[in-house]
């Protein structure tokens, strides 16, 4: 597996890196306080600026665990718009899985999946909880989009409590008390974020699965002997870093495009494994892409780094 190309240190000597903010806005603010590449243009929470001679990489997982999903992603989008060639987004599992909202919260998805015990397929069968079972034990209705979204977040996305955290952030943004936002407003916030023109969809449209800065390769999870050089559907491994990154990102782009094109059509039938953009959704789950994903991968063994053979 051969790297290609050369890089002169003086051409672009500094790269800022931040990852796994997961909606924790306070974490982002702490990063900004120490960053040597990013700064606020007009005091606190103005527009972001990138210093000359620098690049910035966000390593993925922008949302889910804090009350800053909307604000943080929109800051990233503003930065990317201002510096399109020097700002780079890596797709994380918490980003890719938001594409599920469109089909799973559709009428067809609601009806077809309430008792489907095959999902989430990446979990052992004993750990799976169907929407119907969750309603029995936790309350709610299988016909409610509110309860289905809460089930998705808690039982399939590792984001228990995100529903109320989104309510808290929207109340802040709209200068309204949390009591002024109905449950359906929260559902619409998630759906609109992955609809045409939505901020989460725009993040994925501008995102990449891999990026190289000089001799450094950025991915969300890890490069391992199982996934190195692999591109879904390619049938063979890439033999160079440049070729692999190019082809992997082109595949991801095609998946987002497939999903986006489907938004023009009503969801008439539902299948967890045949929906538009499913390949990218699957790429971000444990064991996804036949175990050859760089998103959900690691190189630790008993908490310690291990040598990656075959690189």
């Amino acid at each position: 597996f051969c790297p290609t190309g050369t890089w002169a240190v003086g051409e672009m000597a500094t790269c800022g890196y931040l990852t796994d903010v997961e909606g924790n806005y306070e974490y982002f603010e702490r990063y900004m306080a120490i960053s040597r590449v990013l700064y606020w243009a007009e005091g606190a929470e103005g527009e972001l600026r990138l210093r000359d001679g620098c690049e910035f990489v966000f390593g993925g997982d922008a949302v889910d665990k804090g009350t800053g999903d909307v604000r943080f992603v929109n800051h990233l989008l503003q930065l990317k718009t201002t510096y399109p060639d020097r700002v780079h987004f890596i797709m994380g599992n918490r980003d890719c899985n938001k594409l599920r909202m469109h089909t799973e919260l559709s009428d067809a998805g609601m009806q077809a999946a309430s008792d489907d015990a095959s999902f989430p397929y990446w979990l052992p069968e004993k750990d799976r909880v169907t929407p119907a079972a969750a309603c029995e034990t936790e309350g709610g209705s299988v016909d409610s989009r509110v309860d289905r979204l809460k089930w998705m977040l808690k039982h399939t996305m590792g984001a228990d409590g995100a529903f109320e955290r989104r309510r808290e952030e929207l109340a802040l943004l709209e200068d309204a008390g949390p009591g002024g936002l109905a449950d359906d407003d929260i559902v619409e916030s998630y759906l609109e974020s992955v609809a045409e023109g939505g901020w989460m969809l725009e993040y994925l449209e501008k995102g990449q699965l891999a990026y190289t800065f000089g001799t450094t390769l950025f991915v969300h999870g890890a490069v391992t002997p199982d996934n190195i050089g692999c591109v879904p559907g390619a049938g063979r491994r890439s033999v160079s870093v440049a070729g692999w990154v190019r082809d992997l990102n082109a595949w991801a782009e095609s998946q987002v495009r497939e999903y986006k094109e489907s938004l023009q059509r009503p969801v008439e039938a539902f299948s967890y494994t045949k929906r538009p953009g499913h390949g990218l959704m699957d790429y971000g789950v444990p064991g996804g892409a036949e175990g050859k994903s760089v998103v959900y991968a690691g190189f630790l063994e008993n908490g310690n780094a291990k040598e990656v053979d075959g690189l």
Side-chain angles (χ1 to χ4, degrees):
F1 195 69
C2 302
T4 61
T6 59
W7 177 62
V9 174
E11 293 177 1
M12 190 66 68
T14 304
C15 181
Y17 176 68
L18 174 67
T19 192
D20 291 78
V21 169
E22 297 183 359
N24 186 332
Y25 201 76
E26 293 74 19
Y27 171 47
F28 172 56
E29 289 179 317
R30 292 196 298 272
Y31 173 81
M32 287 299 299
I34 63 173
S35 176
R36 291 183 292 173
V37 301
L38 297 183
Y39 63 98
W40 296 111
E42 298 293 341
E45 298 202 36
E47 288 196 355
L48 288 175
R49 291 290 183 264
L50 177 63
R51 298 191 186 281
D52 294 341
C54 297
E55 291 195 16
F56 175 75
V57 175
F58 177 68
D61 276 7
V63 299
D64 275 355
K65 293 295 189 75
T67 57
D69 291 2
V70 181
R71 288 172 291 164
F72 176 63
V73 174
N74 276 286
H75 280 317
L76 290 179
L77 294 175
Q78 172 264 304
L79 191 67
K80 178 70 171 175
T81 298
T82 308
Y83 309 98
D85 299 325
R86 295 197 284 137
V87 172
H88 315 279
F89 305 155
I90 301 297
M91 299 178 185
N93 47 291
R94 294 186 179 279
D95 313 313
C96 297
N97 66 19
K98 299 304 175 290
L99 296 181
R100 291 173 43 199
M101 302 289 179
H102 174 66
T103 53
E104 290 186 44
L105 295 176
S106 68
D107 290 342
M110 293 281 293
Q111 294 169 10
S114 62
D115 286 310
D116 189 344
S118 69
F119 192 83
Y121 56 84
W122 58 89
L123 291 180
E125 188 173 351
K126 65 181 180 61
D127 295 332
R128 297 174 194 160
V129 178
T130 66
C135 287
E136 288 181 11
T137 59
E138 302 167 12
S141 167
V142 293
D143 299 319
S144 163
R145 291 198 306 172
V146 169
D147 294 322
R148 186 62 59 89
L149 176 56
K150 290 180 179 179
W151 169 81
M152 291 173 67
L153 292 167
K154 178 178 180 178
H155 293 287
T156 74
M157 292 185 174
D160 190 17
F163 190 93
E164 292 304 322
R165 290 191 289 272
R166 177 62 59 85
R167 189 197 305 274
E168 184 177 341
E169 183 177 22
L170 292 179
L172 176 66
L173 291 172
E174 298 176 15
D175 196 22
L181 292 166
D183 286 350
D184 286 341
D185 294 329
I186 314 307
V187 175
E188 287 306 313
S189 170
Y190 275 97
L191 287 172
E192 289 172 0
S193 73
V194 290
E196 183 78 36
W199 49 267
M200 194 72 245
L201 179 55
E202 185 178 351
Y203 175 95
L204 292 168
E205 287 183 283
K206 294 180 177 179
Q208 303 169 271
L209 288 174
Y211 173 68
T212 53
F213 176 81
T215 56
T216 300
L217 172 63
F218 291 93
V219 297
H220 180 67
V223 175
T224 70
D226 292 329
N227 64 33
I228 190 169
C230 293
V231 177
R236 60 181 179 82
R237 294 183 186 237
S238 298
V239 296
S240 73
V241 173
W244 182 32
V245 169
R246 180 196 63 232
D247 294 345
L248 192 58
N249 288 334
W251 173 80
E253 182 180 352
S254 73
Q255 287 290 300
V256 175
R257 184 168 59 250
E258 178 182 276
Y259 167 85
K260 188 174 180 180
E261 290 172 353
S262 77
L263 296 176
Q264 309 304 317
R265 307 183 297 272
V267 181
E268 297 179 346
F270 177 80
S271 167
Y272 276 121
T273 58
K274 295 180 181 179
R275 51 195 164 171
H278 169 73
L280 185 60
M281 300 179 218
D282 176 67
Y283 197 83
V285 304
E290 301 179 338
K292 298 174 183 177
S293 167
V294 297
V295 171
Y296 221 104
F299 46 77
L300 298 182
E301 190 173 83
N302 297 322
N304 298 308
K306 62 180 180 180
E307 184 176 354
V308 181
D309 296 325
L311 298 186

